[in-house]
Amino acid sequence: MINGGKPLVGHVSVSGAKNATVALIPAALLANDRCVLENLPLIRDVKVLMEILEQMGAKVREDENGTLEIDSSDLNHLHITNGKVKELRASYYLLGALLARFKEVSMAYPGGCDIGLRPIDQHVKGFRALGAEVEIEHGMINLKADRLVGSHIFLDVVSVGATINLMIAATMAEGTTVLENVAKEPHVVDVANFLNSMGADVKGAGTDVIKIRGVESMHGSTYMVIPDQIEAGTYMIAAAAIPGGDVVIENVIPKHLDSIAAKLTEMGVEVQFNGDSVRVISKGRPKCVDIKTLPYPGFPTDLQQPITSMLTQAEGTSMITESIWEGRFRHVDELKRMGADIKVEGRVAVIEGIRDLSGSNVSATDLRAGAALVIAGLMAKGQTEINNLFHIDRGYENLEGKLASLGAEIKRIKY
Ligand code: EPU
């Protein structure tokens, strides 16, 4: 429940990156050993992965500071039918990790946010190129290989998931694997760094080409996840969206925020980087802008929904082109309930800026749609009730607590 219209003022600290974390946890299974992951966000996706790992025979322990210990030396269960797998997309990283370590795995088809078609053909193509037999039947994906051998794999689409999964799968393949046309997202680099800390030989992460020289075995490691680029961007937008906002967002990697900072600046918002923090100062009603979502370093699709909320009150007409997920406009109907003037045609949304949103009863349809509605609620006049918070809890640590500490009138009514 949000009482809107209050500018956000103060300091807020960003948690560990969700989309890195959900890959680091499965990657920890590559070692017949103990890994410690630090600074993990306290979010539902982590809990779900922990439950899946436990059922596979791993020993898992998390403390309240986000340090997770994973001991997978007794891992024995390679047939993962658990319904939890369907709760998050990232469960597909278990395929790459277990194929690499055991040459065999069988898992229910992964789920995740409903934001459009979510094929995994590039993952499958890569597993096959490394020498695995892949069968998809009765809702299960079955992988099996006598041996994995390095290969030259050119991705047809720039896919974060396929890049990370194939990097993980190739760590212990014989010879060298070259992945081309890969994703360059910060979490791709983070996973590569973690793999190297476990004894892998991965080079080129962060560029278009990644080379992996297979090693015999991997060992345990202690590793700290990077801060969450999307959480940081969400607070930047929230700070900028309500006139009078002045927020210092701490624990960020400025380079990861270049595209969102540039867009906010174009909208007339003041953005100042200082070491590992960024200060965002709202200068009143923002200007309209056009945005096209693109793979990193372009404007991230995961911030498209939050910034759409901000643009509903911008001066003039904005156009958003969603080039990654064709179904990522489901928040628009909810924003319309709050008075927004938005037309969607295929992958394009045209937003006519209005003066005021009005509080309403809305529902989160997916994770970032949830964040978008929270921002809209903070901007709106009157009271907004947001339902289906479980989407938000999947990926934002203590969103309402952090916003309340910035002066927002927000409280959770029901868990
Ligand atoms: N694609 C294919 N074939 C594949 C894989 C992807 O055609 O085998 C297509 C997809 O349909 C999409 C595009 O490639 O059009 C990009 O998909 P990608 O594989 O990069 O997405 P993902 O790995 O499934 C991750 C994040 C998403 C984020 C996207 C894009 C995780 C767990 N999820 O998904 O995050 O939107 O990359 O950056 O890392 C979120 O955090 O809210 C979220 C949805």
Side-chain angles (χ1 to χ4, degrees):
M1 192 75 81
I2 300 173
N3 238 327
K6 313 263 175 321
L8 302 182
V9 178
H11 291 240
V12 65
S13 183
V14 169
S15 302
K18 164 196 169 261
N19 287 343
T21 297
V22 295
L24 295 176
I25 295 173
L29 303 183
L30 288 164
N32 179 3
D33 203 348
R34 179 175 153 273
C35 282
V36 179
L37 296 170
E38 296 171 340
N39 191 36
L40 300 193
L42 304 169
I43 53 173
R44 170 127 186 95
D45 273 10
V46 170
K47 298 269 176 264
V48 172
L49 274 172
M50 285 172 64
E51 284 171 35
I52 297 173
L53 259 54
E54 271 170 352
Q55 290 187 358
M56 291 165 61
K59 291 188 197 75
V60 188
R61 212 178 56 208
E62 190 191 30
D63 71 16
E64 68 281 0
N65 301 317
T67 298
L68 180 65
E69 221 180 281
I70 303 170
D71 182 346
S72 65
S73 40
D74 289 334
L75 203 72
N76 51 28
H77 200 74
L78 305 178
H79 188 80
I80 317 162
T81 48
N82 190 321
K84 300 253 172 245
V85 165
K86 295 196 183 141
E87 284 189 31
L88 79 167
R89 192 73 190 157
S91 48
Y92 52 38
Y93 295 131
L94 294 167
L95 292 171
L98 299 176
L99 177 67
R101 179 162 156 200
F102 297 101
K103 312 285 178 289
E104 183 176 358
V105 55
S106 166
M107 192 183 88
Y109 207 88
C113 279
D114 184 8
I115 51 180
L117 290 177
R118 302 195 75 176
I120 56 164
D121 56 302
Q122 299 304 305
H123 305 235
V124 169
K125 164 174 134 167
F127 293 147
R128 287 198 169 121
L130 293 172
E133 275 175 34
V134 184
E135 268 182 1
I136 301 180
E137 53 180 15
H138 309 303
M140 298 289 289
I141 307 176
N142 307 315
L143 308 187
K144 202 171 173 47
D146 293 330
R147 48 199 275 254
L148 294 176
V149 180
S151 179
H152 196 127
I153 303 165
F154 199 104
L155 296 184
D156 302 328
V157 289
V158 178
S159 158
V160 174
T163 301
I164 293 178
N165 221 350
L166 297 177
M167 207 162 65
I168 291 173
T171 45
M172 290 183 278
E174 295 163 35
T176 301
T177 298
V178 180
L179 304 177
E180 290 211 53
N181 193 30
V182 295
K184 296 180 277 202
E185 265 66 4
H187 32 297
V188 172
V189 179
D190 204 37
V191 177
N193 288 340
F194 176 50
L195 295 174
N196 286 337
S197 79
M198 296 172 74
D201 183 352
V202 181
K203 293 201 172 71
T207 74
D208 293 325
V209 184
I210 297 178
K211 282 193 186 144
I212 305 127
R213 253 204 352 218
V215 295
E216 293 257 312
S217 63
M218 312 263 291
H219 52 75
S221 159
T222 295
Y223 188 80
M224 183 180 281
V225 66
I226 51 167
D228 197 308
Q229 165 208 14
I230 304 302
E231 189 195 9
T234 304
Y235 287 112
M236 289 171 77
I237 295 168
I242 307 134
D246 183 351
V247 176
V248 176
I249 300 145
E250 292 163 345
N251 188 33
V252 304
I253 298 179
K255 182 79 202 132
H256 297 168
L257 303 174
D258 279 352
S259 63
I260 177 69
K263 205 39 88 175
L264 289 176
T265 306
E266 207 181 314
M267 293 166 82
V269 175
E270 195 173 327
V271 180
Q272 302 166 354
F273 285 103
N274 183 10
D276 65 355
S277 70
V278 56
R279 180 173 176 194
V280 175
I281 306 168
S282 152
K283 294 280 176 193
R285 196 173 177 201
K287 299 190 194 104
C288 58
V289 286
D290 291 343
I291 295 176
K292 182 171 186 177
T293 62
L294 287 170
Y296 187 83
F299 191 92
T301 170
D302 297 342
L303 289 177
Q304 177 264 110
Q305 292 157 300
I307 207 161
T308 298
S309 296
M310 180 172 173
L311 288 173
T312 59
Q313 286 189 188
E315 223 168 293
T317 309
S318 304
M319 188 168 87
I320 291 193
T321 309
E322 172 54 67
S323 68
I324 312 287
W325 302 116
E326 73 281 2
R328 211 167 205 183
F329 281 130
R330 291 179 62 204
H331 56 303
V332 165
D333 280 342
E334 301 303 300
L335 290 174
K336 283 185 181 170
R337 282 180 210 280
M338 302 176 72
D341 182 351
I342 308 176
K343 285 183 193 66
V344 175
E345 183 68 45
R347 287 175 175 264
V348 176
V350 176
I351 307 160
E352 296 289 345
I354 56 163
R355 276 269 164 204
D356 291 309
L357 292 174
S358 58
S360 174
N361 195 326
V362 290
S363 268
T365 51
D366 60 79
L367 168 59
R368 309 299 172 189
L373 294 176
V374 169
I375 290 172
L378 295 171
M379 293 162 61
K381 281 207 162 132
Q383 207 169 60
T384 296
E385 183 182 316
I386 304 175
N387 295 291
N388 289 346
L389 296 190
F390 64 91
H391 286 296
I392 297 178
D393 294 336
R394 283 193 46 204
Y396 287 94
E397 176 179 324
N398 189 20
L399 183 67
E400 74 273 19
K402 289 188 184 186
L403 287 170
S405 77
L406 295 173
E409 259 189 50
I410 178 169
K411 61 178 183 238
R412 190 179 284 252
I413 307 297
K414 221 164 62 182
Y415 280 85

